[in-house]
Structure formats: C-alpha cells, structure tokens
Amino acid sequence: MLSDYNISTCDFENDVIIIHKNNKYGIANTNEDIIVPLQYDKIEWSDSGIFAARIGNKWGFIDAYGNVKIAFSYDLAGSFCKGQTWVMLNGQSGVIDSYGRKVVPMGDYSIRILDNGTTVMVSNHFTGKRYTVYGWPPINLQHSYDELNFNFNQN
C-alpha cells in the first residue's frame, strides 16, 4: 500500500511513481504495485523512462523495472531530457544519450540541458574575466562574457 511510503514524483501518463522510505528509493505503478524495491539511495524523475539512480556515491541509470541501463560509474548525473543527460566523472562533465554513448565529450565545463534538448556548456576556465558559452549541437552560440548568471528562464 503506497500510503506506507513517501511519494517523490508521480508520472501517471507513464504509470510510474517514485517512492521512498527511510532514505531508500524505489518505483511503484499506479496500481500501487512495487515494481522496483526500495534499494536505491536516490532516484530522479525522467521524461524518457530511464531514471538516474544513486547507490552509495555512484550514479547510474535504470528503467522503470529496475534493470540497469547504464552502469553505476558516475560521480553525479542529471535526469534525461529529450534523450540526453549530463554526467560528471573525476571533475569532468559531459553529455550521454540513453545508451550511455557520449554526445558531448567529457571536459571542464558546466552543463545545462534546456527543455528543447539544446545543451549549453559554460567553460569553467576563463581568460582574464571572460566566460565562454557553447551550444550543442554546434549552433551559433559561442560567445564570451565578463559576467554570467547561469540561470535559464524559458517562457
């Protein structure tokens, strides 16, 4: 019975409810059946059916049935958006697809994936006081700024 659990996220369209109790996370369906037992330290919502999950200090990706889709090898990971997500390993950030293939190579930049699937990368190294912003896939987005507010608001 789901009333015994805390609910993190409900996605009724895809029949997925992320639940947690005593700092462990799992997945139930809308019939209140536990599909993925409470065995993860965190599970993040996804729009693609592949969920970022953490065991200890490593992140990987599972499907709604608990099958590991991408190994638990990352230090940090985001939720999938339009088939891609950011990951971090050994201080380097990159973007992978739902098969674990690198879409944006690992590098020393901050990454934000916008709702439309565009990846924005901000170089962490700056020349003097200049930040460099890149877009992926390569679009005419490379610019340099003296200051940068890394807060994206989309209408």
Side-chain angles (χ1 to χ4, degrees):
M1 195 161 197
L2 290 187
S3 61
D4 296 336
Y5 302 95
N6 297 306
I7 296 176
S8 295
T9 306
C10 295
D11 181 355
F12 293 111
E13 183 178 321
N14 294 309
D15 194 32
V16 171
I17 302 170
I18 297 175
I19 58 173
H20 63 97
K21 184 176 183 177
N22 300 325
N23 295 320
K24 291 295 182 182
Y25 287 73
I27 297 176
N29 64 22
T30 53
N31 291 328
E32 300 191 7
D33 301 317
I34 307 297
I35 306 300
V36 177
L38 299 172
Q39 60 189 17
Y40 296 97
D41 296 311
K42 184 72 175 169
I43 297 177
E44 297 287 344
W45 177 86
S46 168
D47 74 351
S48 67
I50 299 176
F51 302 85
R54 181 173 55 84
I55 298 175
N57 63 354
K58 290 297 180 182
W59 286 86
F61 298 88
I62 61 172
D63 65 16
Y65 301 99
N67 299 311
V68 175
K69 296 309 226 178
I70 300 171
F72 286 78
S73 59
Y74 295 102
D75 299 328
L76 291 171
S79 297
F80 273 94
C81 178
K82 306 291 184 199
Q84 59 184 11
T85 189
W86 65 270
V87 291
M88 182 176 278
L89 182 61
N90 299 324
Q92 301 280 300
S93 298
V95 176
I96 60 172
D97 67 13
S98 59
Y99 297 98
R101 297 179 296 216
K102 289 185 176 91
V103 175
V104 174
M106 301 298 273
D108 193 16
Y109 31 69
S110 297
I111 294 176
R112 177 75 55 110
I113 299 175
L114 305 181
D115 288 343
N116 68 3
T118 299
T119 300
V120 176
M121 299 171 294
V122 178
S123 174
N124 289 336
H125 292 299
F126 47 113
T127 316
K129 287 184 148 186
R130 311 270 309 160
Y131 294 88
T132 304
V133 178
Y134 304 91
W136 193 272
I139 55 176
N140 295 326
L141 186 63
Q142 185 170 345
H143 302 285
S144 292
Y145 301 94
D146 290 327
E147 293 183 23
L148 187 66
N149 178 356
F150 201 40
N151 182 14
F152 295 97
N153 294 316
Q154 293 185 350
N155 298 329

